[in-house]
Amino acid sequence: MFVYLSKKIAIPHNLALQVVAWNSAQGWIACGGESGLLKVLKLESSTEAPAKTAGAQSNLSMNQTLEGHQGNIMVITWNDNFRKLTTSDQNGLIIVWMLHRGIWFEEMINNRNRSVVRDMKWSPDFQKICIIYEDGAVIVGTVDGQRLWGKEIKTQLAFVEWSPDGKNILFCTLNGEVHVYDTEGIYSHRVPIYCLDNGTEGSVAISGIHWYSGFVGPDNQIPALCVGFENGRVQIMRSDSDDKPVLIDTQLRCTGLRWDPNGTTVAVAGMQAQTQAGPGPDREVGVVQFYAPTGQHLRTLRVPGSNLRCISWEGNGLRLALAVDSHIFFANIRPDYLWGYFSHTLVYAVLKKERSEHVVVFWDTQSDEKYTKYIKHVTHIRSSDEYCVLVTKADDSSGQYIIIVCNDIGSPVDSKYL
């Protein structure tokens, strides 16, 4: 893959940003920072400006300031299905915003007046929201504002995450533990942490947790639960009780992490110390590291500025928004596509999330005819002369691979298990 910075938007009055959140369905970008700063932006899409390429300059088709918060904005979360925005500030004030005739309005307000909201997450079906306060209070409510249940957990909380099936809720404590509860608030178990050095468990703070919700089911063997710590250690698990997770040392002072919308790349953001040549303290630079679910390092993106606080992916996974100081930076992502070309035919594979398999298209560039096949776990495509080779992973626990030789209309000529 290839990643490069493509655009920068300055925030008025040099107000520092804390959070940025990109709505994956409609493309709105919410950003929040100090002194109650809250804006909703939208980049002009390529359909609105067809003459521009993906890397070209794009204007804002929405730029609205939302007024209602006084304190620093701490958490922003989108409900993609119901087109709602939920925000909270350092004073514990929560506001739910809705879009009416192109303008965002307050729909609901809640203030517990006792503690700061540390995190808010919608369930995978966007029907329920879980709100956690630093003092251990947990509230789960519905999309229309009804309170389902509340609980006081006897520890300070930092982050919350839902399991992909919506049956469990993970609470991250301030001292770096991850506890699993069911959706009624009954304690289940602790998530084992393997990425920290012996003796440091319980003393290193968690900087982010994200469980990619596209892979559902007990047979899922793709690591999808990512937990990152402030010291740069990260572990990626197949389930919340995986005893052999992928372990990564990013060498960053980690500030956040997010899976891309396809679950194929996790971006870990943070600050990296750089040794100065002369006298004086070391300088920190912003860095985003990109990893595959297997832990393979894919790319490093260096970001100017003195504080990279938050990242968020665009809905198609081709851009990343970064909250840096008083700016939003945008990075363009060029993924490694699976493709080959032989005898006037372009063959390419695209992962279809809703079917959890690849659609493989054989496109005859002369006759403009397309032949489509659906194949699970395509890992490689190579072509030569009159044939192409597809490599797929067997759909069982054997760990075997299948090599399929196809002609230019996608008909298998030969296959072999390895």
Side-chain angles (χ1 to χ4, degrees), residues 76-147:
I76 296 175
T77 182
W78 284 103
N79 186 319
D80 295 352
N81 284 15
F82 292 89
R83 299 189 174 203
K84 293 188 179 186
L85 172 66
T86 311
T87 58
S88 74
D89 61 31
Q90 67 185 110
N91 302 324
L93 175 66
I94 301 172
I95 303 180
V96 179
W97 309 82
M98 62 175 288
L99 189 67
H100 180 67
R101 294 184 178 176
I103 299 176
W104 293 94
F105 288 97
E106 290 180 5
E107 184 189 26
M108 287 182 273
I109 292 183
N110 181 298
N111 196 346
R112 194 168 146 260
N113 284 323
R114 281 191 40 209
S115 180
V116 60
V117 176
R118 286 301 299 252
D119 201 8
M120 302 182 287
K121 289 277 174 65
W122 289 97
S123 59
D125 61 4
F126 294 106
Q127 295 287 345
K128 291 185 280 190
I129 190 170
C130 183
I131 302 167
I132 63 161
Y133 292 81
E134 188 174 283
D135 64 2
V138 175
I139 298 171
V140 175
T142 64
V143 69
D144 53 7
Q146 283 184 300
R147 180 182 171 126

Side-chain angles (χ1 to χ4, degrees), residues 164-180:
D165 58 8
K167 293 180 179 175
N168 287 322
I169 306 176
L170 280 62
F171 297 113
C172 302
T173 67
L174 275 187
N175 62 356
E177 296 177 356
V178 184
H179 298 190
V180 182

Side-chain angles (χ1 to χ4, degrees), residues 249-268:
D249 187 355
T250 64
Q251 307 282 320
L252 303 177
R253 177 173 64 79
C254 183
T255 57
L257 54 88
R258 296 300 295 172
W259 284 105
D260 76 337
N262 300 314
T264 56
T265 306
V266 64
V268 183

Side-chain angles (χ1 to χ4, degrees), residues 282-297:
D282 289 351
R283 195 170 66 91
E284 280 193 325
V285 295
V287 172
V288 183
Q289 303 280 24
F290 296 85
Y291 296 92
T294 54
Q296 176 193 358
H297 180 254

